[in-house]
Amino acid sequence: MYFKSWILLSISLFSLCGIAATQTEQTSYFVQPLQKIVLSGPAQGTSYHITYFDQYEQVSKNDVDSILKVIDLSMSIYNPLSTISQFNKQETSIVKLDRHFQKVVEASFYYHQITKGIFDITVAPLVQLWGFGTTQIKHFPDSNKITSTLSSVGMNKLIWEAPYLKKSRPNISIDVNGIAQGYSVDVLAEFLENKGVKNYIVELGGEMRVKGKNLQGDFFKIGIERPTSNHHLQTEVVCIKSGALTTAGNFEKYMMNGKQKISHHVNPLTGYMFSSPIVSVTVYAKTAMEADALDNYFMALTPDEILDFVKKRKNLEVYIIFNNERGEIEEKYSKGFSDFFLQKAT
């Protein structure tokens, strides 16, 4: 597993507005007809799926795989040769970051600030301590172990002097799982746009960015799976003109300590898991990196706190699923998100 492949309510492609029936559309006798081009493959411990429409194959699978390989060599904690793996070694105090890693680190400091320290890439030691990292654990940590580990957590212990990232003590390690997969989606989407592709959908590990229309001139439909109070799943369908969607949830990725459910969302300020009624949040933003960075933060808040945060910011919307005081599943969403639901989309 690399990045956030544990997403509960994965945003899956619901349909392409009837696109499967027609692969091409003749626009003129002298003009090359548009084609539906589909690319897919394994990536970052999960898989990617790209569908775009153009007269020619502007982007190939080799192009996509090459881009993702570069990002993997930069920020994968599961690749021992990656830059991040080198930084996380105790004997390493400083590394020079490539352009991808630089953008992620710069964004991480920004989101650390606006989330009041909840978004924190130095949370890696706590993630490992609770057994959600690269190694398994036999016992859950006690308070003493948590307290000692907290001494190695905090982005104030990082020194950022672009392009160099330094750490103030040897046992500091970082994990960019909470932002780098969204960044990867943006890189792929922007690569398509730079090649002149105007209509596409890019999905990686359930995180998605879309733009434009299909061959029939319809905007893309996307299905968001959500649980119901009787433990079944239902699909809400939204229609997005342009932008990104990501989802975070605690339904699938957890462990049990007796009868206690241990979520994978660790509070970097306390060392313990967040206690929140949130089951999942789906975030809409202009970029997948922003949606990715904020969806886990929202898992630490109440529904009203999330809506208040979103209301103060432009180009940000949210769909929340949570347990009410009676333990029943409820939903809330921002005013702008209501425009995405299929029956209201235009």
Side-chain angles (χ1 to χ4, degrees):
M1 182 182 63
Y2 172 47
F3 298 150
K4 290 199 310 182
S5 59
W6 58 75
I7 292 175
L8 154 67
L9 304 179
S10 62
I11 302 174
S12 56
L13 182 60
F14 183 77
S15 75
L16 289 177
C17 304
I19 199 167
T22 305
Q23 295 269 335
T24 63
E25 180 179 274
Q26 186 73 41
T27 58
S28 169
Y29 182 81
F30 299 102
V31 177
Q32 177 75 16
L34 292 177
Q35 301 179 59
K36 172 188 173 184
I37 300 168
V38 179
L39 309 173
S40 63
Q44 301 181 353
T46 177
S47 59
Y48 70 84
H49 299 86
I50 298 173
T51 300
Y52 70 93
F53 309 96
D54 206 281
Q55 295 172 317
Y56 307 97
E57 185 178 329
Q58 305 286 7
V59 177
S60 68
K61 185 177 184 302
N62 286 339
D63 293 329
V64 175
D65 291 340
S66 295
I67 291 170
L68 293 174
K69 182 178 180 180
V70 170
I71 295 175
D72 186 75
L73 284 171
S74 175
M75 293 179 281
S76 171
I77 61 174
Y78 297 92
N79 185 337
L81 300 179
S82 69
T83 303
I84 196 171
S85 293
Q86 298 305 308
F87 180 80
N88 287 341
K89 293 180 178 180
Q90 289 206 1
E91 61 268 26
T92 303
S93 61
I94 181 173
V95 293
K96 183 178 181 180
L97 306 186
D98 63 88
R99 62 184 180 88
H100 294 300
F101 210 160
Q102 287 185 54
K103 290 180 180 179
V104 168
V105 166
E106 288 170 354
S108 295
F109 276 101
Y110 169 73
Y111 291 112
H112 179 75
Q113 179 184 7
I114 68 170
T115 63
K116 299 178 181 179
I118 298 301
F119 181 90
D120 193 322
I121 60 175
T122 68
V123 75
L126 288 171
V127 174
Q128 296 286 352
L129 186 68
W130 283 97
F132 290 104
T134 56
T135 57
Q136 294 183 339
I137 61 171
K138 295 181 179 179
H139 306 286
F140 288 109
D142 58 26
S143 59
N144 291 331
K145 187 63 176 175
I146 291 172
T147 299
S148 63
T149 303
L150 275 172
S151 65
S152 301
V153 176
M155 289 187 64
N156 62 322
K157 299 177 176 64
L158 294 175
I159 303 166
W160 174 230
E161 297 175 351
Y164 296 97
L165 183 65
K166 307 176 185 178
K167 51 188 174 184
S168 61
R169 57 183 67 183
N171 54 357
I172 292 173
S173 59
I174 61 175
D175 185 339
V176 294
N177 286 2
I179 189 172
Q181 193 168 73
Y183 172 78
S184 300
V185 171
D186 289 334
V187 170
L188 294 175
E190 288 161 13
F191 184 77
L192 286 167
E193 292 190 19
N194 289 336
K195 290 292 185 178
V197 177
K198 299 178 180 179
N199 304 283
Y200 62 80
I201 182 164
V202 176
E203 182 267 332
L204 173 59
E207 307 195 353
M208 187 175 297
R209 183 163 154 179
V210 304
K211 184 177 181 180
K213 302 178 181 180
N214 63 20
L215 296 180
Q216 284 68 44
D218 298 321
F219 295 111
F220 297 108
K221 296 178 183 178
I222 300 167
I224 304 174
E225 289 187 339
R226 52 152 294 179
T228 62
S229 294
N230 57 5
H231 303 294
H232 292 121
L233 290 176
Q234 69 180 41
T235 301
E236 298 286 353
V237 181
V238 296
C239 201
I240 304 296
K241 298 178 181 180
S242 177
L245 284 175
T246 69
T247 294
N250 62 14
F251 186 80
E252 186 179 64
K253 182 74 175 183
Y254 65 90
M255 292 187 291
M256 299 299 297
N257 184 17
K259 295 183 178 180
Q260 180 185 11
K261 184 177 179 179
I262 305 296
S263 165
H264 69 276
H265 297 285
V266 186
N267 187 338
L269 303 178
T270 67
Y272 291 89
M273 274 47 192
F274 290 109
S275 177
S276 169
I278 305 299
V279 175
S280 78
V281 288
T282 296
V283 181
Y284 167 85
K286 290 188 68 175
T287 67
M289 181 167 68
E290 179 168 35
D292 193 10
L294 292 177
D295 59 15
N296 272 328
Y297 168 58
F298 290 160
M299 292 296 298
L301 307 180
T302 67
D304 289 340
E305 287 172 336
I306 297 171
L307 292 174
D308 184 60
F309 182 95
V310 169
K311 189 184 301 183
K312 298 175 182 177
R313 288 163 173 82
K314 294 182 180 180
N315 301 311
L316 187 64
E317 306 295 343
V318 66
Y319 173 55
I320 311 162
I321 301 170
F322 65 99
N323 289 305
N324 63 22
E325 294 179 353
R326 299 181 300 277
E328 300 167 336
I329 294 290
E330 284 193 22
E331 64 180 35
K332 287 187 176 183
Y333 43 84
S334 60
K335 182 179 179 180
F337 202 96
S338 64
D339 295 335
F340 300 148
F341 289 113
L342 183 60
Q343 64 273 21
K344 298 182 180 180
T346 57

